């Protein structure tokens, strides 16, 4: 049965594409990043929803740029020529995955889900009919990822693009209808969302999506669409109608984003918990990897929810508005602890080795020593939080296996009226990095943000001696072998601790770094720290090294790279 002629049907020109092959996807990803880079300032300028923070264009550009770099990596991979050249499925999946990993902000997160929705269909076929189906799948999956979708946003524009080309056709026809449908819907957004109407602007995310579809249209037809008219700056009268954020405002004060490795069932529970904590909740992804975006007042609680659901990483926290600093005590007033009162804030850290615990105690932390084979329980952590005798406590478990016990202790402490933030540190070197930027005189949330960022920027490794033969991710090890674990996985198996440590350091520094932290136990070979410091100094000129002594009860060597 033939399809009825549509308004944009025309004879296909020789320079138009009938199939969105891998090279076309590559060109589309490049053109999208280029267009969004060119228009990001204009899009930033009209950003008034959901938060008037002026970064929608920048977030879309950074997300699109990451997607393009992922596509280029597929083409640059060894052997990506001839019979092994990338196909459409390789290219579109790379584009979607790159966007998922680096999605920024509300708009970038939604864009990553739109690309993911398209990728699943285009991997099966890349003609016009498949593109129409891909756009429909993208629009529905993006809407499903948003906890409370609103009309007049990028979701509305995506739905209109899908509706405009739902009857299919040639690739150029479908691309034209999708673009025109999106552009028409964008013009209508001020009448659908009150904040846009008050500001006299179209939706910033929607305008970004029109640019993405315009780049697609130019890729398949060879002709760029007519440029959108310049958008006016938001009307001054709209300032009172946009969502106010931060302490004293109407909206949450922080944007929290992180990648999360978790099962589907855990993610559904996470959505419910985050939805209760804040707004602008978007969770995209699948197959065990998710990108989580939410606006909250309690950034620590949002991260803690991710810890309970799975393994969060690449944590990014943005403060929308500066919180007022706590009032300092008078110079003639005794400190709180001397008056028997609770201190303003404290840090509780779990640490291996007596020396390391003593070092952190000197820096002001309340420490809990983790002895070999005797990890502290939730009661031990709760006792430490109580012992800190503070109104606000930052808890650093410094061990992946302790996150459940730490979460339980934090909940119990909160029930006692103590404000607790659990930072998901997975190794002692991450805890040291967090403690190094701790400043009790700034606001609690700002302090948690800075400490979380410092911990998240620290990659970690550990050297241990195998107690028995076993299978590892690096092969079979024998009793007495030296194991080099990077981020918790065995990466190197050696016979000499010093040689293995050098190999582990080299692998970690291949990804870059500015500071190496070495934590050396009494059981390590004499001179190990000096040998490794010399190795770093000779091989990595711009990298600094700092060494701490853990004493007894710690692994032979802990390594951190910031």
């Amino acid at each position: 049965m033939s399809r009825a002629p549509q308004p944009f049907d025309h004879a296909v020109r020789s320079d138009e594409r009938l199939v969105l092959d891998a090279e076309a996807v590559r060109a589309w990803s490049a053109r999208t990043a280029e267009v969004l880079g060119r228009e990001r300032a204009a899009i930033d300028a009209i950003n008034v929803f959901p938060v008037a923070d002026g970064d929608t264009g920048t977030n879309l550009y950074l997300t699109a740029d990451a997607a393009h770099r992922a596509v280029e990596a597929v083409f640059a991979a060894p052997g990506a020529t001839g019979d092994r050249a990338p196909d459409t499925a390789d290219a579109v999946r790379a584009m979607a995955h790159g966007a998922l990993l680096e999605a920024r902000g509300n708009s970038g997160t939604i864009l990553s889900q739109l690309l993911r929705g398209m990728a699943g269909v285009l991997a099966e076929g890349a003609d016009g009919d498949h593109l129409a189906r891909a756009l429909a799948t993208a629009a529905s999956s993006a809407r499903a990822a948003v906890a409370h979708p609103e009309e007049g946003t990028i979701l509305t524009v995506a739905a209109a693009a899908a509706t405009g080309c739902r009857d299919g056709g040639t690739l150029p026809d479908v691309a034209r209808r999708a673009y025109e449908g999106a552009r028409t819907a964008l013009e209508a957004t001020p009448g659908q969302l009150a904040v846009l109407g008050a500001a006299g602007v179209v939706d910033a995310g929607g305008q970004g999506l029109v640019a993405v579809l315009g780049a697609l249209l130019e890729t398949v037809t060879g002709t760029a669409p007519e440029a959108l008219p310049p958008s006016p700056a938001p009307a001054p009268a709209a300032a009172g109608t946009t969502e106010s954020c931060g302490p004293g405002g109407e909206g949450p004060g922080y944007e929290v984003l992180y990648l999360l490795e978790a099962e589907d069932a855990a993610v559904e529970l996470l959505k419910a918990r985050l939805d209760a904590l804040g707004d602008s909740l978007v969770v995209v992804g699948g197959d065990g990897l998710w990108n989580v975006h939410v606006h909250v007042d309690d950034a620590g609680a949002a991260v803690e929810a991710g810890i309970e659901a799975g393994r969060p990483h690449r944590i990014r926290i943005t403060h929308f508005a500066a919180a007022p600093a706590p009032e300092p005590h008078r110079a003639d007033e005794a400190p709180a602890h001397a008056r028997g009162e609770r201190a303003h804030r404290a840090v509780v850290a779990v640490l291996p080795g007596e020396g390391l615990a003593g070092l952190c105690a000197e820096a002001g932390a309340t420490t809990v020593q983790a002895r070999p084979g005797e990890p502290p329980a939730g009661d031990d952590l709760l006792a430490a939080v109580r012992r800190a005798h503070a109104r606000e406590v930052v808890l650093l478990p410094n061990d992946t296996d302790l996150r459940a016990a730490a979460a339980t202790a934090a909940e119990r402490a909160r029930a006692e009226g103590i404000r607790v933030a659990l930072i998901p540190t997975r190794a002692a070197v991450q805890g040291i990095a967090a403690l190094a930027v701790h400043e009790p005189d700034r606001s609690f949330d700002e302090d948690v943000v800075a400490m979380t960022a410092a911990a998240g920027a620290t990659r970690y490794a550990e050297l241990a001696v195998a107690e028995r033969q076993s299978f590892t991710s690096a092969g079979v090890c024998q009793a007495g072998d030296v194991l080099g674990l990077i981020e918790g996985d065995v990466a190197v198996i050696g016979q000499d601790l010093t040689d293995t440590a050098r190999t582990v350091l080299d692998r970690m520094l291949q990804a870059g770094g500015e500071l190496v932290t070495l934590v050396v136990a009494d059981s390590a070979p004499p001179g190990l720290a000096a040998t490794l410091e010399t190795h770093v100094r000779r091989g990595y000129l711009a990298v600094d090294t700092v060494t701490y002594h853990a004493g007894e009860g710690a692994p032979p060597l802990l390594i951190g790279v910031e």
Side-chain angles (χ1 to χ4, degrees):
M1 182 175 179
S2 62
R3 181 180 58 86
Q6 299 295 319
F8 295 98
D9 280 348
H10 71 296
V12 178
R13 301 195 312 264
S14 60
D15 60 342
E16 293 184 334
R17 300 175 184 266
L18 293 180
V19 176
L20 195 68
D21 59 17
E23 284 292 349
V25 174
R26 185 184 193 183
W28 175 35
S29 70
R31 189 167 283 117
T32 296
E34 177 187 350
V35 170
L36 288 174
R38 188 168 61 242
E39 297 186 10
R40 64 174 171 173
I43 297 173
D44 282 344
I46 62 170
N47 172 203
V48 298
F49 181 85
V51 176
D53 51 354
D55 65 356
T56 291
T58 299
N59 288 335
L60 285 168
Y61 164 70
L62 292 173
T63 304
D65 182 62
H68 173 56
R69 285 187 277 109
V71 174
E72 287 297 326
V74 169
F75 279 85
T81 57
D83 293 339
R84 298 183 62 186
D87 57 16
T88 299
D90 295 328
V92 296
R93 284 170 178 157
M95 189 176 181
H97 190 65
L100 175 68
L101 293 180
E102 297 291 342
R104 302 295 183 97
N106 187 289
S107 54
T109 307
I110 293 174
L111 176 60
S112 75
Q113 185 69 359
L114 288 166
L115 293 174
R116 178 181 172 83
M118 293 182 70
V121 178
L122 292 175
E124 300 172 357
D127 57 11
D129 289 339
H130 279 88
L131 177 59
R133 285 175 46 208
L135 290 168
T137 301
S140 61
S141 63
R143 185 172 290 267
V146 177
H148 302 285
E150 296 205 43
E151 296 305 324
T153 65
I154 186 174
L155 299 175
T156 305
V157 175
T163 300
C165 64
R166 62 187 171 191
D167 292 326
T170 67
L171 189 66
D173 284 345
V174 170
R176 284 190 182 87
R177 292 192 190 94
Y179 176 78
E180 292 295 340
R183 184 162 174 164
T184 300
L186 176 66
E187 293 170 356
T189 55
Q192 296 173 297
L193 201 56
V195 65
L196 301 179
V201 297
V202 298
D203 179 64
Q207 182 159 320
L209 180 57
V210 169
V212 174
L213 294 172
L216 175 61
L217 178 59
E218 183 177 359
T219 299
V220 301
T221 66
T223 303
E226 181 182 350
L228 293 172
S231 299
T241 63
T242 57
E243 182 177 335
S244 172
C245 295
E250 297 177 357
Y254 291 89
E255 177 185 62
V256 179
L257 298 100
Y258 49 80
L259 286 179
L260 177 70
E261 296 176 18
E263 299 298 326
D264 291 4
V267 171
E268 290 305 313
L269 294 174
L270 172 67
K271 289 179 183 178
R273 181 168 180 184
L274 292 180
D275 194 27
L277 286 174
D279 57 31
S280 297
L281 173 62
V282 185
V283 181
V284 302
D287 301 322
L289 181 63
W290 308 83
N291 194 308
V292 178
H293 169 280
V294 68
H295 294 172
V296 293
D297 277 325
D298 191 341
V303 175
E304 183 179 330
I307 296 171
E308 294 183 0
R311 176 178 173 260
H313 51 106
R314 295 196 188 183
I315 299 166
R316 291 193 294 269
I317 301 175
T318 303
H319 192 193
F320 288 132
E327 294 184 10
H329 69 267
R330 299 191 310 272
D332 59 350
E333 183 180 45
H337 65 81
R339 302 194 305 270
E341 301 175 6
R342 284 188 174 185
H344 172 59
R345 185 174 310 146
V347 176
V348 173
V350 179
L351 297 159
E354 297 175 356
L356 199 57
L359 176 73
C360 292
E362 290 177 7
T366 298
T367 62
V368 180
Q369 189 170 346
R371 304 182 185 280
E374 300 178 20
D379 288 344
D380 299 321
L381 300 180
L382 178 60
V385 171
R386 291 169 175 162
R387 191 168 69 249
H389 200 56
R391 294 187 296 273
E392 300 171 345
V393 173
V394 181
L395 180 56
L396 306 173
N398 298 334
D399 188 334
T400 302
D401 293 336
L402 288 179
R403 65 187 185 185
T408 300
E411 287 292 344
R412 292 171 64 186
R414 292 188 190 112
E416 297 177 6
I418 305 171
R419 189 179 184 187
V420 182
L422 171 60
I423 296 179
T425 48
R426 293 176 286 155
V429 287
Q430 289 186 327
I432 292 171
L435 189 58
V437 300
H438 166 57
E439 292 185 16
D441 289 335
R442 60 187 167 197
S443 76
F444 183 68
D445 286 323
E446 286 181 326
D447 202 24
V448 171
V449 167
M451 295 176 73
T452 301
T458 304
R459 287 168 284 134
Y460 64 93
E462 173 185 336
L463 267 70
V465 178
E467 296 180 354
R468 64 184 67 85
Q469 183 188 62
S470 60
F471 293 93
T472 75
S473 52
V476 179
C477 72
Q478 305 295 329
D481 283 349
V482 179
L483 307 180
L485 295 88
I486 300 178
E487 303 282 320
D489 292 325
V490 177
V492 180
I493 299 175
Q495 279 69 52
D496 179 79
L497 196 143
T498 302
D499 290 342
T500 306
R502 276 194 288 254
T503 302
V504 169
L505 261 177
D506 288 338
R507 290 199 182 184
M508 296 182 74
L509 289 171
Q510 283 176 356
E514 298 176 358
L515 174 67
V516 170
T517 300
L518 303 173
V519 180
V520 184
D522 287 351
S523 59
L528 174 64
T531 299
L532 296 180
E533 287 174 359
T534 300
H535 179 72
V536 172
R537 188 165 54 250
R538 289 177 177 174
Y540 307 91
L541 300 180
V543 180
D544 293 326
T545 307
V546 60
T547 298
Y548 299 109
H549 295 281
E552 296 182 358
L557 178 67
L558 301 174
I559 301 173
V561 175
E562 300 178 49

